[in-house]
Amino acid sequence: MQLLKTIFLFEFRLLARQKFILLLIGFFFLTGIYSIYYGYHFTEKQLAAIDSLESGYQKKYKEIEAAFSADTTTAEGKILFNQAGIPSVIEYKNPLIAVCKPQLISILSIGQSDLQPYYDVITRRRNFMQGSNAEISNPEMLASGNFDLAYVIIFLLPILAIALSYNTWSKEKEQQTDKLLSLQGIYLRKIISYKLVFRFLLVGLMVWLLSIIGFISSATLIPFDLSAALFWLLSTSAYLFFWFAITFFILRLGKSSVHNALYLLGLWCALLILLPALCNTVVRLYYPIPLKTGAAVALRENSEAIWAMPHKLLIDTFYLNNPKYSPLREAADTSETSNKRFAAYYDLLGRRMTQAIENYNQYPAAQNEANLCLSWFNPAIKTQYLLNGIAGTGLNDYLSYQRQVNDFQKTWVDFMTGYVISDKKLLLSDLKDLPQFKLKFLKNKYPEIAVGILYLSGISFCIIFLSRKITVKI
């Protein structure tokens, strides 16, 4: 214990005298602060857009509500009063918005939330082209990723760990202080291990400090989640532990400082650039995603085909698919202006397009599953999945949101169809009880994240165990 205290004190004093190392640490810390600001600004902008949508909806809702008590002594008031409660008018003037709000600690790991739509307009004839409301982004930015704290931790902090540790052993040999320590009976391997522990704690404390700053910043925008914060700290610590285990392994080979630096930087390039690019290429080759133009063509073709169907066949299909409305069947259902004909049109179009969209969504889901499987062979990518999962910004979270939107759209269609085919208007009390979309977060994701953390820790301990088996003459 006395040796550990002595080495930590010596390393701290040595660090205080190395201005370049202090500048390097300061640079990485400021980089982390900027990444938190970047994530905060992005999330703030997204929340502002969502608030604008919700404010617009509430404003239109009050206008629709006021139409029930409009002044019928004026021509404009008569029109508003007559239109009050008509389902198609309510849908047209104020369609429902399904929103995927930023959750947990998403400012620290933006993930897929900048690429995927975070709101959808819900009507009986929904826009089946998902992603149409996504903003246009710079392709270079989409290729490189967002400069959030997850990016800094995964890509940049390993470089700091390498810069601090690559010559921990070789420097002693090059300065020939290893012989002096050996003559004094001091176990050099233990000293090297303690030096690495000091550097691990130094970088780890910086990561924890940046993360805590991120948690505080996130809490000003999104309700704080303690579980997410704890799993974030554990995941980042396990990832740093992995890199220091790799460094320990390279140091145990007994090479020069230059060789150590080259080996470590080579591994960094392989794990963070080459392997991800190769895996991405392989996944896209075996699980290609078709163009969304196919869904657009399917929407147009189905719309035209269904509208051109014989009226009686369309109505028969509707009652066959919705037997609960059979008691409302009338001879006038097949007329050109029949509300039931329009309801039948939207019902059949929705059923056909739901199947088309489910067929399309299986491709990104297959890609995601393949990438998840391959991530077990690359701790860096696995950590990215873990951080995105903790922040609720991964592809799984988006696919879950999309499934919930599709399910809610069916609920909305069923709700409005009952009024349309009955030729009834919504009452003011009905207007207050309109179905509302409530996003449910993914359940049981923390056990999977815990398994991922154990995986990172297990690999690190295995690397350390193998390192200790390497015999090097000191």
Side-chain angles (χ1 to χ4, degrees):
M1 192 65 185
Q2 183 61 35
L3 178 61
L4 178 65
K5 182 179 178 181
T6 302
I7 291 174
F8 273 35
L9 184 60
F10 172 78
E11 289 294 320
F12 182 78
R13 290 176 178 174
L14 183 64
L15 177 66
R17 292 199 298 265
Q18 294 179 308
K19 293 183 179 179
F20 175 75
I21 297 298
L22 291 176
L23 288 173
L24 190 64
I25 294 172
F27 169 77
F28 277 97
F29 184 78
L30 291 176
T31 300
I33 293 293
Y34 173 77
S35 69
I36 295 171
Y37 165 77
Y38 178 90
Y40 181 92
H41 177 71
F42 174 84
T43 305
E44 187 179 40
K45 183 180 177 182
Q46 208 172 66
L47 287 172
I50 292 172
D51 288 341
S52 177
L53 288 170
E54 293 178 344
S55 299
Y57 175 81
Q58 292 300 327
K59 181 181 177 182
K60 288 292 183 181
Y61 178 85
K62 290 180 180 178
E63 292 177 2
I64 293 173
E65 193 177 37
F68 284 88
S69 57
D71 184 8
T72 56
T73 60
T74 64
E76 183 181 358
K78 282 184 179 180
I79 295 173
L80 291 174
F81 183 80
N82 291 330
Q83 290 180 345
I86 298 177
S88 57
V89 173
I90 292 174
E91 269 194 332
Y92 174 75
K93 287 188 174 182
N94 194 27
L96 281 177
I97 305 293
V99 174
C100 181
K101 284 189 175 182
Q103 52 183 294
L104 306 176
I105 49 174
S106 59
I107 77 166
L108 303 184
S109 184
I110 293 174
Q112 298 271 340
S113 60
D114 63 325
L115 302 178
Q116 308 294 357
Y118 52 90
Y119 70 89
D120 283 277
V121 180
I122 306 296
T123 65
R124 281 179 296 150
R125 186 184 186 280
R126 190 167 152 235
N127 180 6
F128 294 96
M129 281 298 297
Q130 304 305 332
S132 58
N133 56 357
E135 298 178 1
I136 298 174
S137 303
N138 187 331
E140 293 183 1
M141 181 179 176
L142 299 185
S144 60
N146 291 287
F147 199 82
D148 51 17
L149 187 59
Y151 180 89
V152 172
I153 291 172
I154 292 173
F155 282 85
L156 302 185
L157 284 183
I159 296 179
L160 176 62
I162 291 170
L164 291 175
S165 310
Y166 76 97
N167 62 349
T168 305
W169 188 335
S170 54
K171 185 178 179 181
E172 301 290 346
K173 294 173 62 178
E174 290 160 4
Q175 294 178 347
Q176 296 187 352
T177 53
D178 59 331
K179 297 179 181 179
L180 180 62
L181 293 171
S182 298
L183 288 174
Q184 294 178 352
I186 298 176
Y187 195 29
L188 185 57
R189 289 191 181 91
K190 184 177 289 189
I191 293 176
I192 301 304
S193 300
Y194 288 164
K195 284 175 174 285
L196 282 178
V197 169
F198 174 82
R199 286 157 174 76
F200 170 74
L201 292 176
L202 177 65
V203 179
L205 286 173
M206 186 169 71
V207 171
W208 277 47
L209 179 58
L210 287 171
S211 298
I212 291 171
I213 294 172
F215 299 155
I216 295 171
S217 302
S218 178
T220 62
L221 297 176
I222 309 167
F224 179 70
D225 187 276
L226 180 60
S227 298
L230 291 176
F231 275 102
W232 176 277
L233 294 175
L234 290 174
S235 298
T236 53
S237 300
Y239 180 64
L240 286 178
F241 183 44
F242 164 75
W243 275 102
F244 275 93
I246 288 287
T247 303
F248 183 63
F249 180 84
I250 297 297
L251 293 180
R252 289 281 295 181
L253 296 178
K255 303 295 183 181
S256 66
S257 299
V258 174
H259 283 90
N260 292 342
L262 289 175
Y263 290 158
L264 289 169
L265 289 176
L267 284 171
W268 180 88
C269 290
L271 293 176
L272 292 167
I273 299 177
L274 298 180
L275 281 179
L278 179 61
C279 291
N280 195 36
T281 301
V282 171
V283 169
R284 290 188 177 185
L285 180 64
Y286 284 94
Y287 302 96
I289 296 180
L291 295 175
K292 285 189 176 181
T293 51
V297 170
L299 176 60
R300 185 182 69 250
E301 291 178 348
N302 279 300
S303 298
E304 295 173 352
I306 293 172
W307 190 252
M309 285 176 65
H311 298 180
K312 186 176 184 307
L313 177 60
L314 180 60
I315 292 298
D316 289 343
T317 304
F318 172 75
Y319 285 118
L320 182 64
N321 292 328
N322 301 275
K324 62 181 178 181
Y325 296 127
S326 296
L328 300 175
R329 185 162 190 163
E330 298 175 353
D333 292 348
T334 57
S335 66
E336 286 287 341
T337 58
S338 170
N339 286 336
K340 293 179 182 178
R341 183 194 171 206
F342 287 102
Y345 165 77
Y346 288 124
D347 179 76
L348 186 55
L349 178 62
R351 291 175 185 275
R352 290 187 180 181
M353 287 308 301
T354 295
Q355 185 60 47
I357 294 304
E358 287 178 356
N359 291 338
Y360 175 85
N361 284 341
Q362 68 180 352
Y363 293 99
Q367 269 200 6
N368 187 49
E369 287 299 321
N371 282 320
L372 279 173
C373 291
L374 290 175
S375 69
W376 292 98
F377 299 96
N378 189 340
I381 301 304
K382 189 63 182 178
T383 305
Q384 180 70 74
Y385 274 98
L386 290 177
L387 298 184
N388 286 347
I390 294 168
T393 57
L395 184 57
N396 278 337
D397 297 276
Y398 168 72
L399 292 175
S400 172
Y401 158 72
Q402 206 62 72
R403 284 192 294 269
Q404 292 180 55
V405 170
N406 291 332
D407 291 340
F408 178 75
Q409 196 261 344
K410 296 174 186 175
T411 301
W412 175 256
V413 169
D414 188 60
F415 176 82
M416 297 300 283
T417 299
Y419 288 93
V420 171
I421 67 172
S422 303
D423 201 19
K424 290 170 54 179
K425 291 184 178 181
L426 277 77
L427 302 176
L428 187 59
S429 57
D430 298 326
L431 195 65
K432 294 178 180 179
D433 293 330
L434 289 176
Q436 298 294 324
F437 177 79
K438 293 183 179 180
L439 179 65
K440 298 177 182 178
F441 300 144
L442 280 175
K443 296 181 179 179
N444 301 323
K445 67 177 182 179
Y446 286 133
E448 295 180 8
I449 293 171
V451 170
I453 295 171
L454 291 175
Y455 157 76
L456 290 175
S457 303
I459 286 183
S460 303
F461 281 114
C462 288
I463 293 173
I464 292 174
F465 176 78
L466 292 174
S467 302
R468 296 180 66 86
K469 296 298 182 180
I470 297 175
T471 303
V472 182
K473 183 179 179 181
I474 301 179

